[in-house]
Amino acid sequence: MNTFLRNSFILLAAGALAVSCADYNETYDFTAQPDPSFVEPYKDLNPVKSYINRDTYPNMTLGALLKVADFNKQELAHAATVTNFDNVTFGTTLMSGSIVNAKGVMNFLDMSDLLAHVQEIGYEVYGSPLFANANQADDWLSTLTAPIEIPVDFVEGKSVNFNDEPIGAYSGTSESGTATIAKYDDQNTLRIPGRAKVRIIEGFEVDPLARYTITFYAKADRDASFYIYFSGKKVDGSGSDGKWNVKAGKWQKIVVEAQSDPEESAGYLRIENGPSPVLYIQKVEVGYYPDNHRPQTEQEMNDTINYAINTWCDKLMDINQGRINMFDLIDEPLDNKAEMENGMYDLKHSTEKIFWQDVLGSENYAPVVSRVAADAFANHEGNSSELKFFISETGLENQKAFESLKYWIGIWDSKGAKIDGINAKLNLVYSEDAEKQAATVALLDNLLTNLASTGKLIRLSNFDIKYQNAEGTAVTADKITADQRQKLADFYGYVIKSYMNKIPHDKQAGMCKGNLADTTDPVGLWSVNTKKDWVRTATYKAFCDALSGQ
């Protein structure tokens, strides 16, 4: 235990504080240790969540964002969370991208541990997004939706018999050195001198997905070695540095298996001869197996994606066993750079990765995934009457973004999707520039009014406020003054009170703090001193005051 906390506990034991450590951090039958630090002037404040009037605000909750590893350590961040907040959420660390590998193996060990602990202490978890465009199991989806292998036949391609060529200059491409058609062993052959680079066959197109077989016969009067390149790609032989070797005095059949460089469309095989003997070439043939894959049909792709959706939801809800009953169903679906003909923003789409909506169809996206997820929840000990699904989105202070999300939710609702609420991710900055700050307040007020108009449950997340001076420069946690910290705290209080006043009480799904303690920015309810102790800030008091209606 560090010195600061040890001294705090000594003071507690001596009766210096009127309230015991356990009173601050007791949850259910569990006592969180170590308890967050208390120092003047905020030592006498109670846990933040205790200031909510549950009679007036029955649905109001406070959430905290943590990494799974930090929660499972059951150290300071864990204690601060269960002491002061009603629930915890784990962001991307419980999304499929962190759980499912390329082969579809799902690692729920961390989730299983935290849910066992949550159940033991009577705590609550707000579920990570079930479906999104980022932090998804992209490798698994790529594996599932890969082209299907099909049988193909070998195709005979171009061939060259140098007996059909007249003796003299070589009509093909010599990139360096001078190759000729010469009489050798009573036949016309392609003669390649030392250090020459010669294409022994060319003039055909290549498919980078096809597998080519090139055969030719080579002979030299002395042992020879050379490099081979096929359509822009080096093909290694069994000799040193990938060279191909020919023993002296005997015609030797060379078989080259290769694919072309993806950027090359011209077909050729080039020999780069070594510094020593002349190499003689005869009877070159090219054949290939065409690409033995075909894309999945539209129906196959739809079946594949539905399999992925059902498998992911079933395995997740099997581990969950009804313990998490509030989830972000879909995370950040809007593309604010893609405007449809009706003026609304389109959903995100991709030609490089598998996006659920690209296969299911934009209008069917939420109806399909909500049905599958809700069924899986019910099938694994979940109480369907308690299940709530949210659509989470950022940038909703932008009027068009809000209207676009409302538009899509309306379509999904009409098609039977289960969408209970909106999780609005905040992007707030307090500015010492009065004009900028007034604009921020106006945007916030308008956002809350808009959200209230939807009739959905409303949750605010990413509730961190950064601080800028009048010139627009960020004020860091190590530089912020007491006066600046108080201004920041007052704005935190304003946001909380605005939410509690503007969102109908029965539609409040709570607020979620992004960072509990300061980062480089002064965003925390706690600052972190040089001994790494957490020290309550003016923001802590602002939370308490705002929640209590002061």
Side-chain angles (χ1 to χ4, degrees):
M1 181 182 295
N2 61 50
T3 303
F4 191 91
L5 287 173
R6 183 175 65 249
N7 290 342
S8 295
F9 292 143
I10 291 171
L11 288 173
L12 285 167
L17 297 180
V19 184
S20 74
C21 176
D23 289 331
Y24 279 89
N25 63 3
E26 186 173 289
T27 302
Y28 210 50
D29 293 325
F30 173 81
T31 301
Q33 295 288 353
D35 200 25
S37 312
F38 314 119
V39 295
E40 297 287 4
Y42 307 117
K43 71 175 185 180
D44 294 326
L45 292 173
N46 292 322
V48 176
K49 65 184 179 183
S50 68
Y51 289 88
I52 302 173
N53 186 327
R54 306 291 179 176
D55 293 330
T56 306
Y57 302 97
N59 294 329
M60 179 62 187
T61 64
L62 282 181
L65 172 66
L66 283 186
K67 294 180 179 178
V68 171
D70 289 338
F71 186 80
N72 283 347
K73 286 177 185 176
Q74 296 187 31
E75 295 178 353
L76 193 54
H78 165 276
T81 299
V82 300
T83 301
N84 292 279
F85 297 86
D86 296 297
N87 56 67
V88 62
T89 190
F90 298 102
T92 63
T93 53
L94 288 186
M95 294 177 69
S96 63
S98 300
I99 290 174
V100 189
N101 71 11
K103 295 182 178 180
V105 177
M106 301 186 185
N107 183 355
F108 290 103
L109 290 177
D110 286 343
M111 181 176 177
S112 181
D113 287 345
L114 74 87
L115 286 177
H117 177 58
V118 162
Q119 187 173 20
E120 175 190 8
I121 67 175
Y123 203 57
E124 294 184 357
V125 175
Y126 183 94
S128 296
L130 298 175
F131 297 93
N133 303 309
N135 302 301
Q136 292 294 276
D138 294 328
D139 291 341
W140 181 46
L141 294 179
S142 294
T143 300
L144 290 176
T145 58
I148 295 173
E149 288 191 9
I150 56 174
V152 294
D153 295 324
F154 186 77
V155 178
E156 293 185 359
K158 187 173 184 177
S159 63
V160 175
N161 187 332
F162 293 110
N163 278 312
D164 298 331
E165 300 284 331
I167 291 175
Y170 176 48
S171 61
T173 302
S174 295
E175 297 182 12
S176 68
T178 302
T180 59
I181 304 298
K183 183 70 72 174
Y184 182 76
D185 276 359
D186 296 326
Q187 59 182 322
N188 290 1
T189 62
L190 175 61
R191 181 183 185 276
I192 302 177
R195 300 188 186 282
K197 299 179 180 179
V198 180
R199 297 187 181 187
I200 66 172
I201 191 168
E202 60 185 330
F204 56 95
E205 292 184 354
V206 287
D207 178 350
L209 297 178
R211 294 168 291 128
Y212 289 82
T213 300
I214 308 95
T215 62
F216 62 92
Y217 290 84
K219 184 178 178 181
D221 292 331
R222 290 183 291 129
D223 288 354
S225 61
F226 50 92
Y227 295 107
I228 290 179
Y229 288 81
F230 179 73
S231 295
K233 183 181 288 186
K234 182 184 177 186
V235 185
D236 285 339
S238 58
S240 63
D241 194 30
K243 291 179 180 178
W244 294 73
N245 298 318
V246 171
K247 293 293 184 181
K250 182 179 180 181
W251 284 101
Q252 182 173 326
K253 184 179 182 179
I254 306 295
V255 179
V256 179
E257 304 281 353
Q259 287 183 289
S260 64
D261 185 283
E263 302 299 321
E264 183 64 78
S265 60
Y268 62 86
L269 187 140
R270 182 176 74 240
I271 285 180
E272 296 186 1
N273 199 5
S276 48
V278 171
L279 194 64
Y280 296 93
I281 305 296
Q282 182 52 277
K283 199 176 181 181
V284 187
E285 295 180 338
V286 177
Y288 64 94
Y289 286 98
D291 177 22
N292 64 334
H293 297 83
R294 65 162 177 81
Q296 294 187 26
T297 65
E298 183 177 339
Q299 184 60 54
E300 287 169 339
M301 184 69 78
N302 190 277
D303 291 345
T304 297
I305 289 302
N306 274 281
Y307 164 80
I309 293 169
N310 279 272
T311 301
W312 163 242
C313 289
D314 182 70
K315 299 299 184 184
L316 177 74
M317 295 306 181
D318 186 26
I319 294 295
N320 180 42
Q321 292 291 304
R323 288 172 288 192
I324 303 173
N325 54 32
M326 298 180 74
F327 294 87
D328 280 343
L329 177 69
I330 297 174
D331 184 47
E332 298 187 13
L334 295 181
D335 183 349
N336 60 13
K337 296 180 180 179
E339 189 174 303
M340 300 185 295
E341 291 183 358
N342 62 5
M344 298 292 103
Y345 290 141
D346 197 0
L347 302 187
K348 292 172 181 170
H349 299 282
S350 176
T351 57
E352 298 177 354
K353 299 198 301 184
I354 299 298
F355 281 6
W356 309 100
Q357 60 270 29
D358 289 337
V359 179
L360 301 174
S362 296
E363 294 190 359
N364 292 323
Y365 180 20
V368 170
V369 297
S370 67
R371 173 183 53 79
V372 174
D375 287 348
F377 179 82
N379 290 338
H380 293 289
E381 307 300 325
N383 183 341
S384 296
S385 66
E386 297 176 349
L387 179 64
K388 298 290 185 290
F389 285 150
F390 291 72
I391 306 296
S392 55
E393 187 57 82
T394 188
L396 293 179
E397 63 276 5
N398 176 290
Q399 187 66 25
K400 180 175 284 190
F402 168 75
E403 291 174 357
S404 298
L405 184 64
K406 188 175 180 180
Y407 164 80
W408 282 109
I409 290 177
I411 288 178
W412 292 335
D413 279 343
S414 70
K415 290 181 171 289
K418 176 178 174 57
I419 301 173
D420 301 287
I422 297 172
N423 180 12
K425 298 181 180 181
L426 301 177
N427 300 281
L428 294 174
V429 176
Y430 177 84
S431 175
E432 291 180 350
D433 182 306
E435 186 175 341
K436 287 184 179 179
Q437 182 58 19
T440 297
V441 170
L443 283 173
L444 173 69
D445 290 345
N446 186 61
L447 168 64
L448 294 173
T449 298
N450 282 338
L451 291 172
S453 72
T454 66
K456 298 286 187 182
L457 294 171
I458 302 300
R459 182 176 188 262
L460 301 184
S461 61
N462 195 37
F463 187 27
D464 286 348
I465 306 177
K466 298 180 180 180
Y467 194 102
Q468 288 182 355
N469 63 21
E471 290 71 41
T473 302
V475 177
T476 57
D478 59 337
K479 301 294 184 184
I480 194 166
T481 66
D483 287 343
Q484 290 173 323
R485 178 79 79 169
Q486 187 59 57
K487 291 177 182 177
L488 181 62
D490 291 343
F491 189 39
Y492 269 108
Y494 178 84
V495 176
I496 295 170
K497 287 187 283 188
S498 296
Y499 171 83
M500 297 177 74
N501 290 331
K502 290 181 178 293
I503 304 300
H505 295 184
D506 64 337
K507 299 301 180 183
Q508 293 176 6
M511 308 176 74
C512 181
K513 189 72 179 68
N515 287 281
L516 303 185
D518 286 349
T519 59
T520 53
D521 294 301
V523 293
L525 280 71
W526 292 266
S527 61
V528 182
N529 66 17
T530 57
K531 295 181 180 180
K532 304 301 182 182
D533 297 309
W534 286 23
V535 180
R536 290 174 175 177
T537 69
T539 299
Y540 188 104
K541 184 175 187 301
F543 266 66
C544 297
D545 290 346
L547 292 169
S548 64
Q550 295 184 31

